[in-house]
Amino acid sequence: MSPQPCEDAYCRRELASLQLLQQHPHENVLWLQEAAYDSCLHLSESQKLYSRLVLVLENCMMNTATFQASLGDALPEAWARPFCSQMFLALTHLASLRILHNDLKPENLLLSGGQGAGLTLKIGDFGCSAILPDGHEYVVGGRCITTWAYASPEVFQLHACRYSFASDVWSAGDSALYLNL
């Protein structure tokens, strides 16, 4: 049996964005160390051998939602301010590469480094991302692939699921508000 390629759209989107980011790294975006396909046996209908995408990513200790919950309250301004600044720097970098994240939320804002002021925020989870073709300002999804609580209003206009850089900015603002509550 020869393996069939991974057909999962989330896998393809995440890998495409991470490979582009590997060529253009940023300290506030999760780093892809290696990507490989591993064969796995799928036991249904008939026995088939499929490829499974395996991503080796930079190690982060937790996400901002978990970190905030561990504090039991809103993040102190001394941490929230640099986290928000780092999030918007990373978002600017993604926009310069024409990458829409499409699912910014505290659970996808990861933390690495030491304790306290030594923590660095990194945007991760590019499974819902899209790379905008030149000349396009937004992408229309067949179905909405974002976390609704952090989605911008235009995503839901006429059920068009329109994603743009403005959508990511809205989600980043929602995430910043969440961190400060």
Side-chain angles (χ1 to χ4, degrees):
M1 264 190 273
S2 61
Q4 301 295 315
C6 176
E7 293 298 328
D8 183 69
Y10 295 102
C11 289
R12 289 193 310 272
R13 280 195 290 269
E14 183 152 22
L15 185 58
S17 293
L18 288 172
Q19 286 176 328
L20 180 57
L21 287 163
Q22 197 174 34
Q23 297 168 17
H24 305 278
H26 190 276
E27 66 182 329
N28 300 115
V29 178
L30 195 65
W31 174 251
L32 172 67
Q33 294 179 350
E34 187 176 347
Y37 286 95
D38 181 27
S39 297
C40 63
L41 188 60
H42 181 67
L43 299 174
S44 70
E45 303 164 13
S46 62
Q47 290 186 348
K48 294 183 180 178
L49 190 61
Y50 286 93
S51 290
R52 179 177 52 189
L53 179 62
V54 178
L55 300 174
V56 179
L57 301 166
E58 173 181 7
N59 186 31
C60 291
M61 55 188 245
M62 70 178 76
N63 63 50
T64 56
T66 303
F67 182 64
Q68 182 179 0
S70 74
L71 298 176
D73 200 1
L75 287 180
E77 186 177 338
W79 286 343
R81 186 179 296 216
F83 287 172
C84 289
S85 175
Q86 292 170 21
M87 175 177 54
F88 282 104
L89 286 171
L91 198 56
T92 301
H93 181 68
L94 294 178
S96 75
L97 298 173
R98 304 198 50 80
I99 297 173
L100 299 177
H101 188 277
N102 292 335
D103 197 24
L104 282 175
K105 58 185 176 182
E107 291 82 356
N108 291 339
L109 301 173
L110 309 173
L111 299 173
S112 71
Q115 295 295 322
L119 291 172
T120 300
L121 181 137
K122 295 182 180 275
I123 293 178
D125 189 355
F126 288 85
C128 294
S129 67
I131 300 173
L132 273 181
D134 289 336
H136 290 77
E137 295 303 315
Y138 62 89
V139 64
V140 177
R143 61 185 181 101
C144 294
I145 54 166
T146 186
T147 302
W148 289 35
Y150 297 94
S152 65
E154 62 268 20
V155 168
F156 302 109
Q157 286 180 344
L158 302 173
H159 305 288
C161 297
R162 288 175 54 144
Y163 299 98
S164 67
F165 295 117
S167 305
D168 277 352
V169 171
W170 177 281
S171 298
D174 273 357
S175 297
L177 180 64
Y178 174 89
L179 293 176
N180 289 298
L181 292 179

